[in-house]
Amino acid sequence: MSPRAAPPRFGPLQLALAAAGTAAATLDLCMDGWVAAEYARRGHPGWAALSLSLLAAASAAAQACSWLWLRSDPPALRPAVPAALLAALHLLQLGFFFRCLHALKVGWRVCWAKAEEEDEQRHMAFLSHDISMLRLFETFLENTPQLTLLLYIILQTNKAELSQGLGMGTAFLCVSWSLLDYHQSLRSFLQDKHELSLGSSIIYFLWNLFLICPHILALALFALLWPYGVAVHFSLVWLAMFLWVSLQGTDFMESPGPEQLYRAVVAVILYFSWFNVAQGRTLCRSVIYHAFILVDSSLLALAWLWGRAPSEEHSYLLPVLSAALPCYLLGLGLRVTYYKWLHPNVRVQQEGRYDEVDAGGGSDGPEFRSFLEPDLVNRRMQWLAQTHFSLSQPAQQHCLNGAAAV
């Protein structure tokens, strides 16, 4: 491992992407507010209250994580504002947006104010990693439940308003984009890494989209017959995922109490999408997870088919539902395609070196960036990168021969 690895460079393109991400988060928040207001205006205060409750719960969890991280960060990396003001911003649910604006300020200084020192680059990388993780948390805590609610309401009323269509579009984009951004962020901890190409990024984006859509459709169909049954289903599956995460012995937060919050958030992510939290080979865990989700979604869809009343107004759902399984299988196929032909490891293997793959564990793992100033390294994301990317060479070869793992 190199003792003098330089941080990844932050340039104008990265600044533009950071600004676009902040704008997208703001747009998504506005869309959620618009949708809730439309529900209330059209005489559905219950739907409006549920939509706002999902938004509030997701924001509270993300703000709590943000505040706990700030408290554990080195003083030199905290924003130069009073602690009381930071606490107030998080209580007002503005902590994430403050982080984004602060990162844009630092990024502007790095790009245009001639602040080319490596410490400034490390500082910007530190901020970007936290924002990527918080965006992933808030996306899965808020956007995916909102998507399920939106689809349920559209199916229940048998019509789609403009606000609902735009809300679903922005939510689907945010979910898939947050996963891609998170994966790119983790890769920055790898020494001599290969960046994802445009084609690889598109396939990564699409496979996550195709895997999430059928599950959300099955949940929405199940809710058509048993709206309160979805709450029971979520509670049982979430509890199973929480226990599974706990048994894997995560060590992400600074103390046991906040660690439980992290595990609870990850359990929500696992309710909708695969998320690796433990070192070692992930092939078996990934197969078990996707088999569970496939069976669960199939049972939810079959329950709707069994309990639905024959109705012409929902006849279009039968071909839509029949396309859900091929969609899920297509997502799995794209995942295998990515790891077999499009993953950056393919180039590394051709060069006789090994970078990383999201599976396996062993002593011959990838090289991770080692910085001269350890306090300037985002230890949280570094731990996740080591969790995701540690493997032996035989495990990598096995994965490249067809295993799809994250």
Side-chain angles (χ1 to χ4, degrees):
M1 183 181 296
S2 172
R4 300 180 64 88
R9 306 303 294 178
F10 187 89
L13 176 59
Q14 287 72 27
L15 179 62
L17 291 175
T22 303
T26 305
L27 175 62
D28 182 58
L29 179 63
C30 293
M31 290 302 308
D32 291 337
W34 183 22
V35 170
E38 285 294 302
Y39 291 155
R41 187 177 68 85
R42 296 178 182 276
H44 300 288
W47 292 348
L50 180 56
S51 180
L52 292 176
S53 297
L54 292 173
L55 178 62
S59 179
Q63 302 296 328
C65 290
S66 175
W67 173 245
L68 290 170
W69 295 352
L70 280 174
R71 290 183 58 186
S72 64
D73 286 343
L77 294 178
R78 298 172 189 169
V81 297
L85 177 58
L86 282 177
L89 288 171
H90 283 80
L91 286 174
L92 294 172
Q93 308 303 297
L94 297 174
F96 175 72
F97 286 100
F98 173 79
R99 278 181 174 270
C100 292
L101 294 176
H102 177 63
L104 290 176
K105 178 182 176 181
V106 175
W108 180 269
R109 187 169 67 244
V110 168
C111 292
W112 306 113
K114 308 303 182 183
E116 297 294 338
E117 295 82 1
E118 285 191 359
D119 284 354
E120 288 288 341
Q121 291 283 346
R122 293 189 184 104
H123 187 192
M124 189 60 221
F126 190 103
L127 298 175
S128 298
H129 292 318
D130 273 351
I131 290 173
S132 176
M133 192 68 178
L134 287 171
R135 182 181 291 117
L136 183 75
F137 282 1
E138 191 161 12
T139 294
F140 275 93
L141 291 172
E142 191 265 323
N143 287 116
T144 44
Q146 288 278 11
L147 274 172
T148 307
L149 176 61
L150 276 171
L151 186 55
Y152 160 75
I153 293 173
I154 290 174
L155 296 177
Q156 179 71 25
T157 59
N158 208 34
K159 62 179 180 179
E161 303 293 340
L162 176 62
S163 60
Q164 294 172 326
L166 292 176
M168 288 188 66
T170 57
F172 270 122
L173 288 175
C174 285
V175 169
S176 298
W177 181 262
S178 68
L179 286 167
L180 177 60
D181 178 66
Y182 169 75
H183 184 71
Q184 289 276 32
S185 182
L186 289 187
R187 288 190 60 79
S188 67
F189 284 93
L190 295 172
Q191 178 75 358
D192 299 326
K193 64 183 177 66
H194 285 279
E195 296 286 352
L196 289 178
S197 66
L198 177 60
S200 298
S201 298
I202 292 174
I203 295 299
Y204 194 95
F205 178 91
L206 288 177
W207 105 46
N208 285 291
L209 187 64
F210 289 155
L211 291 180
I212 292 172
C213 287
H215 189 51
I216 290 179
L217 174 63
L219 288 169
L221 291 175
F222 184 74
L224 282 178
L225 296 179
W226 299 285
Y228 298 105
V230 174
V232 176
H233 176 269
F234 171 79
S235 299
L236 293 176
V237 175
W238 176 86
L239 180 60
M241 295 300 179
F242 179 81
L243 293 175
W244 191 30
V245 173
S246 300
L247 290 174
Q248 294 180 61
T250 62
D251 187 23
F252 182 74
M253 305 291 271
E254 296 292 330
S255 57
E259 188 67 25
Q260 299 305 312
L261 172 62
Y262 167 72
R263 292 173 180 177
V265 172
V266 170
V268 176
I269 297 176
L270 286 168
Y271 184 77
F272 294 99
S273 177
W274 166 253
F275 188 81
N276 185 38
V277 295
Q279 293 187 2
R281 294 188 60 182
T282 65
L283 177 58
C284 292
R285 292 198 297 268
S286 180
V287 169
I288 291 171
Y289 172 82
H290 285 294
F292 174 84
I293 293 297
L294 183 58
V295 171
D296 180 65
S297 299
S298 299
L299 291 176
L300 292 175
L302 289 174
W304 174 77
L305 286 171
W306 174 74
R308 74 183 183 94
S311 173
E312 291 185 1
E313 65 179 10
H314 286 127
S315 60
Y316 65 91
L317 287 178
L318 292 177
V320 171
L321 182 60
S322 64
L325 178 58
C327 178
Y328 194 86
L329 296 178
L330 176 60
L332 292 177
L334 288 176
R335 197 172 189 178
V336 173
T337 299
Y338 170 83
Y339 281 105
K340 188 170 181 63
W341 289 291
L342 299 176
H343 195 282
N345 282 3
V346 175
R347 284 173 286 166
V348 176
Q349 186 187 34
Q350 292 172 349
E351 297 171 7
R353 299 185 295 110
Y354 291 89
D355 178 18
E356 53 82 13
V357 71
D358 308 339
S363 59
D364 298 324
E367 289 191 69
F368 293 93
R369 293 184 182 272
S370 177
F371 301 99
L372 293 174
E373 298 291 340
D375 285 344
L376 296 178
V377 178
N378 193 320
R379 297 178 185 275
R380 293 178 290 270
M381 294 294 285
Q382 186 181 49
W383 180 85
L384 284 173
Q386 292 170 344
T387 295
H388 280 251
F389 298 143
S390 61
L391 84 161
S392 60
Q393 292 183 8
Q396 181 192 37
Q397 182 62 46
H398 179 69
C399 185
L400 288 175
N401 285 334
V406 172

